[in-house]
Amino acid sequence: MDSPEFFIEAPEDHTKVLLVEDNGVHSKMLTAYFLQNGLNCDVAANLAEARSLAAGKVYDIVLLDNHLPDGLGIEFIDVLTQLGIDIPVMMITSDDDYQLIQSCFERGISDFMPKPLHLPLLLFKMQRLIFNYWLQQNVQVQNNRLEELLGQKQQEEKLARHVYEHLSAKENSSSSFVHSLMQPSSAFNGDLLLSRLSPGGNLFVLLLDATGHGLAAAISILPVVSVFRAMVSKGCPLSMLAYELNHKLTKEIPGDRFVAGILIELDPHRKELNLWNGGMPEALLCDADGHIQHRFVSRHMPLGVLEAGDFDAGSETIAITPAHEQLFMFSDGLIEQLSATGELFGIQRVERLIERSSNSEAIVNLDKALRHHCQTREYNDDVSICRIDIQGFMYEARSASLHDYYLDGRLHIASRFCGYQLAEMDLLAWLNSILQASPMKPELRQRVFTVSAELISNALDHGVLKLDSVLKNDVDGFITYIEQKEQRTALLAENDWVELALDWVTPSNEVTIRVKDSGQGYSLTEHTQAEVDGLSGRGLSLVRTLASVFQCEPPGNQTTVLIR
């Protein structure tokens, strides 16, 4: 270490010596010898004088004769203690009484020098005592400083852990359907689990596993929290969320780090499960008995590795059936934990435990088995296990009633967004804020938001910006779609607009949504209908599913939907 705050200064060349000696001849001889060798020396002829000098000056060493006019030299040890002075003390005496020598050492004398004195040896012993004392003082200073730094580090870690846990816990708003075990291998967890309901009622779950573990890994995944919160709150689709998460991490974490992850969207309206897996162990879709119905293997690179032009945001989608009871996902810290004999915990053991456990006990049994596997060994990596109760979530969404009783009333919203405002305003966030402030029941509010968001996005992207949704069907096309949207949005003029009208009438509890745009419109030809039924047109297909009435009015730039 070369930081000055860790060290006291080394002894100067002119070391200060306090000589307590009543023999004037010896005092003069020693003073002259010390001066020749660069040492300054003050002389006290008795204990009283020695006390006065020690109280007023700073010395590096005391040379002490034991027989003094006003007492024994060894008593000066008590004087130094009273004054709070801790410096080496060497006894100079002609006594060879071993009991005296032992007593002096017990009282704190550092060394002995018998008379008659051998001056070179005396000087050598003095220099050694002073240097050793200096080293001892520096060790103490370093220890104190290290304890101080350790205390600061513990406080900083405590604060950082509080912030980290607060940020991550804040996003887990759907805990009744998402069950998990997060076991860090150190003070900080390099794995992160987030879950959140979108305004449209879709459940989003994100499990991340950053490179390494500990504080460095935890910090590298914190940037995704704000992105996840913002985009899910806006009702963005899973592909867009994956794209933005990768973009954020690519920009903000070092090039030698990456984040493996699984991103899930559970859509109760379409009855679909969308899953994106980048570098994580396979997720297991199981029935009520724990039998595997589908394996979601990793099809993508981890987040933070590829630039936008090379990143694939496409997800795997399956229709949810009654056999799809639960979904398990976990970090590689689970399956790669080693026993004392070097045996991996392994995916096969995980699958057996899931099959042998009831739904509510699966995570608990996995945790017990892992602890037994590792015995007293510390986990070599962070462990994360997550179980999503698919049918529980779907049942609540299906059973939610849209026909709660309301008093007479009407809510009417009519807005037109033009040019620059259309480009700069977050229309979905604006709509969500209005619906959240209304007395609509959550289930109705989710349905209204989902339909409105799909119609507004369709009007903006395809009506005003004239984007081709078929581009989103593959990786290259998706990137082109994003680039074209950014370019055309920058060129919006005042005669480009989207208009939204929303009427909610109670107590009949009917909501009419009308969206119109400045585009040329479209007709549901066979080609367009194929898009609606296919991947690129699933938004309008969803609107038709949720609406009691769906009407596209000529020339096709106005859509009216009725929700009962």
Side-chain angles (χ1 to χ4, degrees):
M1 299 179 184
D2 45 38
S3 173
E5 62 182 323
F6 273 88
F7 284 89
I8 60 175
E9 294 183 359
E12 299 177 358
D13 292 339
H14 296 286
T15 303
K16 298 177 181 62
V17 180
L18 174 58
L19 174 62
V20 186
E21 170 65 71
D22 62 334
N23 188 313
V25 175
H26 286 171
S27 297
K28 291 180 180 180
M29 176 188 66
L30 289 173
T31 300
Y33 183 76
F34 291 155
L35 186 60
Q36 292 176 2
N37 288 274
L39 280 69
N40 293 327
C41 183
D42 288 341
V43 178
N46 53 54
L47 291 175
E49 291 180 9
R51 180 187 180 92
S52 177
L53 288 172
K57 293 185 178 182
V58 177
Y59 294 98
D60 298 300
I61 190 170
V62 176
L63 298 184
L64 187 63
D65 186 12
N66 193 38
H67 298 286
L68 297 169
D70 53 353
L72 295 176
I74 195 172
E75 297 173 2
F76 192 60
I77 295 294
D78 296 332
V79 173
L80 293 176
T81 301
Q82 294 170 3
L83 294 174
I85 298 173
D86 179 22
I87 55 175
V89 178
M90 178 182 290
M91 181 71 76
I92 301 174
T93 180
S94 57
D95 292 332
D96 57 1
D97 183 349
Y98 290 107
Q99 289 186 342
L100 171 65
I101 295 175
Q102 179 178 345
S103 176
C104 288
F105 277 125
E106 291 173 350
R107 295 282 295 274
I109 295 295
S110 305
D111 202 354
F112 262 84
M113 190 69 186
K115 293 180 179 179
L117 299 173
H118 185 277
L119 295 183
L121 178 59
L122 173 65
L123 182 62
F124 175 79
K125 280 193 169 192
M126 291 171 60
Q127 291 173 337
R128 186 194 64 179
L129 285 176
I130 294 170
F131 184 72
N132 287 344
Y133 174 75
W134 173 71
L135 288 180
Q136 180 182 0
Q137 292 297 105
N138 272 300
V139 168
Q140 185 62 46
V141 169
Q142 291 178 50
N143 286 341
N144 293 340
R145 180 57 178 154
L146 288 174
E147 288 181 5
E148 179 183 344
L149 291 176
L150 181 60
Q152 292 177 359
K153 180 175 180 292
Q154 291 173 341
Q155 289 297 318
E156 290 171 355
E157 285 188 352
K158 182 178 180 180
L159 176 60
R161 191 182 304 112
H162 172 78
V163 173
Y164 173 83
E165 291 175 352
H166 174 72
L167 286 174
S168 59
K170 187 178 179 181
E171 301 309 311
N172 292 318
S173 57
S174 307
S175 57
S176 59
F177 309 110
V178 180
H179 311 277
S180 64
L181 170 72
M182 309 292 290
Q183 182 65 52
S185 59
S186 61
F188 287 88
N189 199 339
D191 295 354
L192 180 65
L193 176 67
L194 304 176
S195 65
R196 194 176 183 89
L197 283 173
S198 73
N202 290 8
L203 173 62
F204 284 80
V205 183
L206 176 63
L207 179 63
L208 298 179
D209 181 4
T211 306
H213 53 271
L215 181 58
I219 289 176
S220 67
I221 54 180
L222 280 183
V224 308
V225 176
S226 59
V227 176
F228 182 82
R229 177 195 304 130
M231 298 198 69
V232 174
S233 297
K234 294 176 183 178
C236 295
L238 181 141
S239 58
M240 189 73 71
L241 177 54
Y243 181 85
E244 288 299 324
L245 289 172
N246 180 74
H247 179 64
K248 182 78 169 179
L249 289 172
T250 302
K251 288 196 310 180
E252 297 195 4
I253 64 175
D256 62 341
R257 291 188 170 271
F258 57 83
V259 180
I262 293 181
L263 178 58
I264 294 169
E265 179 184 13
L266 195 55
D267 188 334
H269 309 299
R270 292 191 178 101
K271 298 181 180 178
E272 290 179 345
L273 171 63
N274 302 315
L275 188 145
W276 184 94
N277 188 345
M280 291 284 282
E282 57 191 21
L284 306 177
L285 182 60
C286 303
D287 62 16
D289 297 322
H291 299 131
I292 298 173
Q293 304 297 304
H294 186 78
R295 299 175 185 269
F296 291 94
V297 300
S298 173
R299 301 178 184 274
H300 307 281
M301 294 290 288
L303 298 165
V305 175
L306 300 176
E307 296 296 332
D310 300 316
F311 181 75
D312 182 3
S315 61
E316 186 176 355
T317 302
I318 68 168
I320 298 173
T321 71
H324 300 151
E325 177 75 22
Q326 50 189 340
L327 179 73
F328 289 92
M329 51 186 180
F330 34 83
S331 63
D332 58 11
L334 172 64
I335 60 177
E336 293 181 2
Q337 288 294 336
L338 296 174
S339 67
T341 59
E343 178 189 5
L344 291 174
F345 191 73
I347 185 66
Q348 293 82 9
R349 196 192 310 258
V350 171
E351 294 175 6
R352 289 196 303 269
L353 286 166
I354 290 175
E355 288 185 1
R356 296 171 184 172
S357 305
S358 65
N359 294 351
S360 60
E361 296 177 346
I363 292 181
V364 174
N365 290 343
L366 283 168
D367 182 32
K368 290 179 179 178
L370 183 63
R371 294 179 185 278
H372 178 75
H373 176 76
C374 294
Q375 297 293 333
T376 58
R377 289 171 56 88
E378 296 289 337
Y379 290 171
N380 57 282
D381 196 3
D382 303 320
V383 174
S384 298
I385 310 170
C386 176
R387 173 185 171 269
I388 302 176
D389 180 5
I390 295 176
Q391 290 303 325
F393 174 73
M394 297 296 292
Y395 176 79
E396 181 167 296
R398 288 194 305 270
S399 60
S401 172
L402 299 180
H403 303 288
D404 297 281
Y405 178 75
Y406 297 90
L407 297 175
D408 290 335
R410 180 178 180 182
L411 172 66
H412 175 71
I413 302 170
S415 299
R416 173 180 283 198
F417 307 91
C418 308
Y420 175 79
Q421 299 297 337
L422 182 60
E424 291 298 313
M425 280 194 66
D426 189 335
L427 303 187
L428 300 185
W430 169 83
L431 174 62
N432 184 42
S433 64
I434 292 179
L435 293 176
Q436 290 288 345
S438 76
M440 283 186 184
K441 294 298 187 288
E443 296 78 20
L444 177 60
R445 185 167 61 237
Q446 290 169 2
R447 183 171 292 193
V448 171
F449 177 86
T450 299
V451 170
S452 302
E454 293 291 352
L455 293 180
I456 291 173
S457 297
N458 185 68
L460 176 60
D461 289 3
H462 308 309
V464 177
L465 301 178
K466 301 178 178 63
L467 296 169
D468 186 355
S469 61
V470 177
L471 287 173
K472 295 187 288 186
N473 286 352
D474 57 62
V475 179
D476 294 335
F478 183 81
I479 301 301
T480 302
Y481 187 91
I482 297 295
E483 292 174 347
Q484 288 184 3
K485 183 172 183 177
E486 292 176 351
Q487 294 167 1
R488 298 180 188 185
T489 299
L491 300 175
L492 286 172
E494 188 175 355
N495 59 348
D496 297 314
W497 50 265
V498 171
E499 190 174 272
L500 168 69
L502 188 148
D503 280 278
W504 176 36
V505 180
T506 59
S508 61
N509 210 25
E510 292 184 345
V511 181
T512 302
I513 305 167
R514 182 177 295 105
V515 175
K516 187 175 182 179
D517 62 73
S518 59
Q520 297 177 355
Y522 64 92
S523 59
L524 291 177
T525 61
E526 291 183 2
H527 175 70
T528 308
Q529 186 63 47
E531 290 184 4
V532 171
D533 295 335
L535 178 62
S536 59
R538 290 162 64 237
L540 292 182
S541 178
L542 173 62
V543 170
R544 287 185 149 191
T545 301
L546 296 177
S548 302
V549 176
F550 176 91
Q551 183 178 359
C552 181
E553 303 174 18
N557 66 341
Q558 177 172 306
T559 304
T560 302
V561 168
L562 176 64
I563 298 176
R564 289 193 176 97

